[in-house]
Amino acid sequence: MSPHDLTWPHKTAGRRRFAREREILSALEHPNIARLYDAGVDAAGRPYMAIEYVEGLTPNAYCDSAGLGVTESLRLLLQVADAVAYAHSRLVLHRDLKPANILVNGQGQVRLIDFGIAKLMEGGQAAETAPTRAAGRALTLDYASPEQIRGEAIGTASDVYSLGVVAFELLAGVKPYKLKRGSAAELEEAITAQDLPLRSAAAQAPATARQLRGDIDAIVNRALKKNPAERYPTVDAMAHDLRRHLEGGRVQARPDTLAYRARRLLRRYRLPLGAGLVVVTAFALALGTGATALVIGVLLLGLGAALWQARKAREQARRAQQESRRAQAVQDFVFGLFRANADSRPDPQRALATTAREPLDIGAARVLKELDQTPEVKDAMLSTLSELYIDVGGLNDEAAALSAERVALRRALYGANDLGVAVALVDQANAIDSSNDSQRSLPLLRTARQIVDRAPTSGTDVRLRVLFAQAQATSYTEVSASLGFIQGATALMQRRGTGGDSLRRALYVEGLNLGFLGEHSAGLQRLEQAQRLSLGSTGPQAQWQIPECTAIYSNASAIGDFGRAESALLHALQMSRRVNGPDHVDTKHVLLRLMRLYAWTSRAAESQAIEVQLRTLLDVPAPQRDANLDSILLRTMSVHALENGRFGDAALLAVPMVESYRRFTGDSLVLAMAMQTRARTSAATAALDEAERELAQASEMLDRALGSRQAPSGLATIRMDQAVVRLWAGDAAGALALLDRLAESLPVAMADARLKVPAIACWRAAALLDTGRAAEAVEAAVLGLRSMSFFLRPADLPLLRADLLLEQGLALHAADQSDPARDVLAAALTLRQQNDDDRSIWRAMVELALARTVLAQGDREQARTLAASGRARASDVPMLAPHLARRLQRVEGESADLR
């Protein structure tokens, strides 16, 4: 035995711990988790890890040094909770949450460190393993859960408990267990058996104790239950309660009594509810019940909130008098509005059945004419009515017109640089942008941004509204700018500790934009962060999971992670069917994506069944179809038909598809993608000049839309299309030059380029073969197949595999290697038979190529059968691009004597 074969047991255990931590950390990418930059073994055989250096303090020390109160401390805890929840979503338990493993930097950002004893979960639990037993219990007793102390299997509830101990100590200033002897045995006994004091009772400062009573006591108490089943089931659930407390809402840890809900409601909305109550009471006495319930309810609540906000802005000395006049004016206006509506009808009872639009129109006309003497009331009414025009009737033009009146009114009341003017400008821009006219909305938003930038106070809430609106207005036309706006909003919310729905929306938009730019891995991370914030939502918020899941599908499938993509789509389909029903437009959106996914994962029958179901939507007259669904339906069906070799179908769908996108979005990123699809169809059917023109327009549109931050993989598809059009036009050398430059910009190992590499290799092989370089064509095809085998599952992308095998087989035949050519082409034909359409020109190409190779080996009977089948399929194809036509003529001509 060599001395080098000897290793001390503690070194072996240390290396196992190192390897485990490296494996776990490499899978975790989150802004609140310290990043793993590199890992390996040095020349002396010693393992090393390069982890993000975090210069910071523990949460306790940071809060003490910064003088932070309970609210700020809770926001730090929420950052920790988000990081732990992310790790749990990757099936990773931390198992050693404590202040020493949580650092806060100078900007107030948390970094969670030391996953050295973290465990990968199976079925939601992690059992004790040999390394843990060999090294002893690698945990910190003060923060360990009872089940850890007892050596039982642990799950996410164990990290919930440890986070509860961290919260107790951070908020109360002391550890939860008071010990006499201070021994480890006494601490273990306390953790497993001793009842805990309330945080408020343990707090040193009376003011802190008052803040901790109630919700915080209940939240931390639930996290620290001895029985894991009685704790929060997930860290996300605990974080949700903390956020609800910060927002003044009801927390799940408190008993759901009427008295408790009433206290929370009054605390959260005490001023607007008071104002609203006055109006509701007066209205009910004057009119009784009737009119449109939705309009009345929303209108009155909006008026109450508007009165409250306006009252805060008035001088103290004039407040009472102004509010009295305003409340009376609102009461008179609302009473008069609906009384006029009832009096104008022969049968007053019929007024109860009035449409929502009618009282809105009456109200808008009266607001513009009658409320000049009470401008604050007019402002409130304009705001509420404009919102109702959108929410009740989808009447964006009417809403935008009222918002414009409100902008002018606020400028007259408060001056051009008041933050209230910026808010009104955002409302006007949002109404316009909902009608897809960003050229009108963007100047309004720039003005709003200038007001916010000049504001003497921070105006953080208004700034967030402006950034969100700018991101939305530019999401399809200036993606780099949109990303900058939303990342600015995200950073601002993280500095404030803002979470919940606002952060979820920001992460969703950021993930979409990153995907548009070709940064699919980063986009996927943001989208899954957003999804974690949505899980468990109910009511209207739950529907946000549907677009989040479809966006996750888009980014996951772009990097070849089809399992992840399918999981997201199935969740979205279940959610949409439950919330919206089987015939809803959102359900059909999800089904379209499932159709494509099934085709990509060798489930042709399932894909075809969905296609048959959704093609019936095209029988509905175009004006009656949903504009967004119509565009996506036409594009998806066109791409699907082209990939399946049904050129005639693809060409019929491509023209209305582009026009549908042009009407729906105008010049934009998605219109450029639609033009790419039509260009591919045009080129395949020999309309080469048209294809070149469409690709040039699409390329210019993409350059404008993607801006300065376009990743190489973001433009790879259109560059590839340009090369393919040249190849199909007969310019193989020009196509090869484009493909070579594109291949150099996309490293094989780059996750965002995984699917681009085999596709580029396929077209390179075709171009090399056309230029007489058969041996190099074989190498290119083999490279593409190897890259697919390395990154994808065997069943993924069967048609791309078939294309690569066809190119390899054609190149082998040209190099007089008929035996391997036959095997390769036979494999290509099997894939086409299993996954392709019966009318496919691509299947015809494979059959004729295999017939030629089989004939060269002397098997005339099989060659004749294959050739006849290929000719029959090819006869139904319309005009073909020169490259494709020559290929068919060549392989058919060499087997002509089989007719």
Side-chain angles (χ1 to χ4, degrees):
M1 181 180 290
S2 164
H4 297 290
D5 295 328
L6 298 174
T7 306
W8 291 103
H10 74 272
K11 289 186 177 179
T12 302
R15 287 184 181 178
R16 283 201 300 266
R17 181 184 186 278
F18 156 80
R20 190 164 63 255
E21 185 165 0
R22 177 179 61 183
E23 176 188 357
I24 292 169
L25 273 179
S26 64
L28 301 179
E29 294 185 11
H30 188 275
N32 296 121
I33 296 177
R35 292 290 304 278
L36 173 68
Y37 292 124
D38 191 19
V41 179
D42 66 14
R46 295 170 299 192
Y48 70 88
M49 297 176 66
I51 301 176
E52 176 186 7
Y53 172 68
V54 180
E55 184 174 347
L57 302 171
T58 65
N60 311 53
Y62 179 83
C63 290
D64 289 343
S65 65
L68 300 184
V70 171
T71 299
E72 292 79 7
S73 299
L74 291 176
R75 290 194 171 114
L76 284 181
L77 280 173
L78 284 172
Q79 292 187 53
V80 180
D82 286 343
V84 177
Y86 172 80
H88 287 179
S89 73
R90 292 294 186 272
L91 302 183
V92 175
L93 293 177
H94 191 284
R95 301 202 310 157
D96 195 22
L97 288 173
K98 58 185 178 182
N101 284 339
I102 304 166
L103 297 178
V104 188
N105 64 22
Q107 290 73 47
Q109 293 298 299
V110 164
R111 293 292 189 280
L112 187 59
I113 62 173
D114 196 357
F115 275 76
I117 67 165
K119 298 291 284 292
L120 292 176
M121 289 183 286
E122 295 182 4
Q125 291 188 326
E128 190 178 35
T129 59
T132 306
R133 290 193 295 270
R137 281 181 304 188
L139 50 82
T140 307
L141 279 178
D142 291 277
Y143 304 92
S145 65
E147 56 268 32
Q148 280 180 293
I149 297 296
R150 293 190 292 264
E152 300 169 354
I154 63 173
T156 56
S158 182
D159 278 351
V160 170
Y161 183 94
S162 298
L163 185 59
V165 180
V166 171
F168 188 113
E169 184 177 356
L170 180 62
L171 297 170
V174 295
K175 293 179 179 177
Y177 298 102
K178 293 184 178 180
L179 307 177
K180 295 179 180 179
R181 300 185 305 276
S183 65
E186 184 185 11
L187 178 57
E188 291 188 14
E189 182 180 356
I191 292 171
T192 55
Q194 181 180 311
D195 289 333
L196 284 168
L198 292 175
R199 267 53 55 205
S200 56
Q204 305 297 310
T208 300
R210 284 195 300 272
Q211 287 183 276
L212 297 180
R213 289 191 192 108
D215 284 356
I216 301 301
D217 273 343
I219 291 169
V220 181
N221 184 58
R222 182 172 178 183
L224 292 176
K225 292 289 187 183
K226 304 295 184 189
N227 184 353
E230 296 178 1
R231 296 177 206 144
Y232 288 103
T234 64
V235 172
D236 268 334
M238 180 180 175
H240 180 72
D241 253 6
L242 289 171
R243 289 191 176 96
R244 290 287 294 164
H245 167 75
L246 290 173
E247 295 166 358
R250 182 175 62 84
V251 302
Q252 296 296 321
R254 295 289 298 277
D256 188 19
T257 64
L258 180 60
Y260 172 64
R261 282 185 286 169
R263 285 197 303 273
R264 300 307 299 176
L265 186 65
L266 287 173
R267 181 179 300 178
R268 191 176 187 186
Y269 298 115
R270 56 188 179 275
L271 290 179
L273 278 174
L277 183 60
V278 172
V279 179
V280 170
T281 302
F283 180 74
L285 291 173
L287 184 62
T289 58
T292 303
L294 174 63
V295 175
I296 296 171
V298 178
L299 185 61
L300 296 179
L301 286 176
L303 288 172
L307 286 171
W308 171 57
Q309 290 176 346
R311 183 165 65 179
K312 287 179 64 178
R314 298 301 91 197
E315 298 88 1
Q316 185 69 30
R318 300 167 53 199
R319 182 179 300 169
Q321 183 181 8
Q322 283 186 333
E323 286 306 312
S324 176
R325 289 202 308 265
R326 193 178 311 166
Q328 185 63 47
V330 171
Q331 178 182 329
D332 292 344
F333 180 84
V334 175
F335 178 76
L337 170 62
F338 290 100
R339 183 177 61 185
N341 180 51
D343 291 347
S344 66
R345 300 181 181 256
D347 181 0
Q349 291 300 315
R350 293 190 60 191
L352 303 180
T354 185
T355 67
R357 172 70 186 269
E358 289 177 85
L360 286 177
D361 288 343
I362 295 169
R366 290 195 59 189
V367 164
L368 294 175
K369 293 178 180 178
E370 300 178 14
L371 293 180
D372 291 340
Q373 301 305 312
T374 52
E376 293 88 352
V377 175
K378 185 174 184 178
D379 176 57
M381 293 296 298
L382 287 170
S383 175
T384 304
L385 287 169
S386 63
E387 290 178 13
L388 286 172
Y389 265 120
I390 294 174
D391 295 340
V392 176
L395 304 168
N396 296 94
D397 290 339
E398 289 79 356
L402 290 183
S403 293
E405 292 285 346
R406 188 165 167 240
V407 170
L409 177 63
R410 287 195 165 192
R411 280 177 173 150
L413 281 175
Y414 311 123
N417 292 322
D418 187 83
L419 288 173
V421 176
V423 171
L425 285 165
V426 169
D427 290 342
Q428 183 185 358
N430 284 341
I432 292 171
D433 192 54
S434 298
S435 302
N436 298 303
D437 191 355
S438 61
Q439 295 305 310
R440 288 172 57 207
S441 64
L442 286 175
L444 299 172
L445 294 174
R446 282 194 289 269
T447 303
R449 181 67 177 272
Q450 291 166 0
I451 294 172
V452 172
D453 290 341
R454 288 195 298 262
T457 56
S458 60
T460 302
D461 291 335
V462 181
R463 183 178 295 275
L464 281 174
R465 292 187 65 170
V466 174
L467 287 170
F468 266 106
Q470 287 181 302
Q472 178 180 328
T474 55
S475 58
Y476 287 156
T477 55
E478 300 174 43
V479 182
S480 294
S482 179
L483 180 62
F485 293 137
I486 206 63
Q487 286 179 333
T490 304
L492 185 56
M493 284 187 285
Q494 288 174 338
R495 288 197 297 272
R496 299 178 67 200
T498 304
D501 188 57
S502 295
L503 181 59
R504 179 203 54 72
R505 286 175 53 216
L507 290 168
Y508 169 72
V509 175
E510 185 177 355
L512 280 181
N513 286 335
L514 287 167
F516 289 153
L517 291 165
E519 299 178 38
H520 302 292
S521 298
L524 194 55
Q525 179 187 337
R526 304 301 191 280
L527 290 164
E528 289 182 334
Q529 285 179 258
Q531 186 186 41
R532 285 195 299 277
L533 294 174
S534 293
L535 292 176
S537 299
T538 57
Q541 305 300 333
Q543 295 219 54
W544 269 103
Q545 296 178 45
I546 301 169
E548 285 164 3
C549 285
T550 56
I552 288 171
Y553 146 83
S554 297
N555 282 273
S557 57
I559 61 174
D561 194 343
F562 295 113
R564 204 166 172 184
E566 182 177 5
S567 176
L569 279 186
L570 292 177
H571 179 75
L573 184 61
Q574 179 186 30
M575 174 68 68
S576 189
R577 281 174 170 165
R578 178 172 63 82
V579 175
N580 302 315
D583 297 323
H584 192 270
V585 63
D586 286 352
T587 306
K588 292 180 171 64
H589 272 289
V590 179
L591 284 171
L592 271 172
R593 289 161 173 82
L594 265 178
M595 180 190 80
R596 298 288 292 138
L597 183 70
Y598 287 151
W600 292 335
T601 52
S602 299
R603 286 176 284 181
E606 294 169 85
S607 178
Q608 289 166 6
I610 297 175
E611 182 180 13
V612 169
Q613 174 188 347
L614 294 181
R615 280 187 74 91
T616 59
L617 296 175
L618 297 174
D619 298 332
V620 178
Q624 299 176 25
R625 299 199 294 258
D626 176 84
N628 187 18
L629 177 62
D630 187 49
S631 303
I632 295 174
L633 175 70
L634 289 166
R635 181 166 182 253
T636 303
M637 293 292 188
S638 180
V639 171
H640 195 64
L642 187 61
E643 289 177 353
N644 280 273
R646 304 195 313 266
F647 288 4
D649 289 352
L652 286 173
L653 294 167
V655 174
M657 177 244 330
V658 169
E659 296 312 310
S660 179
Y661 272 106
R662 197 184 303 279
R663 287 192 303 271
F664 184 60
T665 67
D667 285 1
S668 64
L669 173 76
V670 288
L671 176 59
M673 293 176 177
M675 294 179 71
Q676 282 181 252
T677 301
R678 189 165 77 176
R680 255 175 272 151
T681 303
S682 299
T685 53
L688 296 164
D689 291 341
E690 185 177 339
E692 290 274 10
R693 183 173 61 256
E694 288 166 343
L695 279 180
Q697 293 173 357
S699 182
E700 292 176 5
M701 211 174 291
L702 278 176
D703 285 338
R704 289 195 301 270
L706 297 180
S708 58
R709 191 177 164 173
Q710 42 195 326
S713 58
L715 286 172
T717 304
I718 193 162
R719 300 292 178 252
M720 201 176 344
D721 285 344
Q722 290 171 329
V724 171
V725 170
R726 287 198 183 184
L727 174 66
W728 286 357
D731 182 9
L736 188 59
L738 287 176
L739 291 166
D740 285 343
R741 287 200 297 273
L742 183 55
E744 290 171 4
S745 69
L746 293 174
V748 176
M750 184 190 297
D752 294 327
R754 286 176 183 171
L755 301 192
K756 307 292 193 307
V757 171
I760 292 169
C762 184
W763 296 117
R764 285 192 75 251
L768 286 164
L769 184 59
D770 269 20
T771 54
R773 296 150 70 177
E776 293 178 68
V778 172
E779 290 177 6
V782 169
L783 170 65
L785 289 165
R786 283 177 179 168
S787 69
M788 292 186 74
S789 299
F790 191 77
F791 293 120
L792 301 175
R793 301 171 302 185
D796 291 341
L797 300 182
L799 298 185
L800 178 54
R801 292 181 194 275
D803 286 340
L804 282 161
L805 289 168
L806 171 62
E807 298 304 333
Q808 184 185 7
L810 290 171
L812 286 168
H813 182 91
D816 296 325
Q817 299 181 52
S818 59
D819 287 343
R822 179 175 184 169
D823 293 340
V824 167
L825 290 170
L829 182 56
T830 298
L831 286 172
R832 284 288 172 186
Q833 288 169 337
Q834 292 172 346
N835 297 281
D836 211 347
D837 190 270
D838 283 342
R839 297 175 293 154
S840 171
I841 185 62
W842 307 121
R843 183 168 168 182
M845 195 87 70
V846 177
E847 286 174 328
L848 290 169
L850 182 57
R852 182 182 63 169
T853 300
V854 167
L855 181 62
Q857 293 182 319
D859 191 343
R860 294 184 61 83
E861 240 358 90
Q862 185 180 5
R864 181 177 286 107
T865 301
L866 288 166
S869 178
R871 288 193 192 99
R873 265 180 257 280
S875 64
D876 293 334
V877 178
M879 292 289 294
L880 282 177
H883 164 83
L884 297 174
R886 280 199 304 273
R887 277 200 166 186
L888 273 178
Q889 291 165 3
R890 187 182 304 125
V891 294
E892 188 178 3
E894 291 183 20
S895 55
D897 62 339
L898 294 173
R899 290 183 182 274

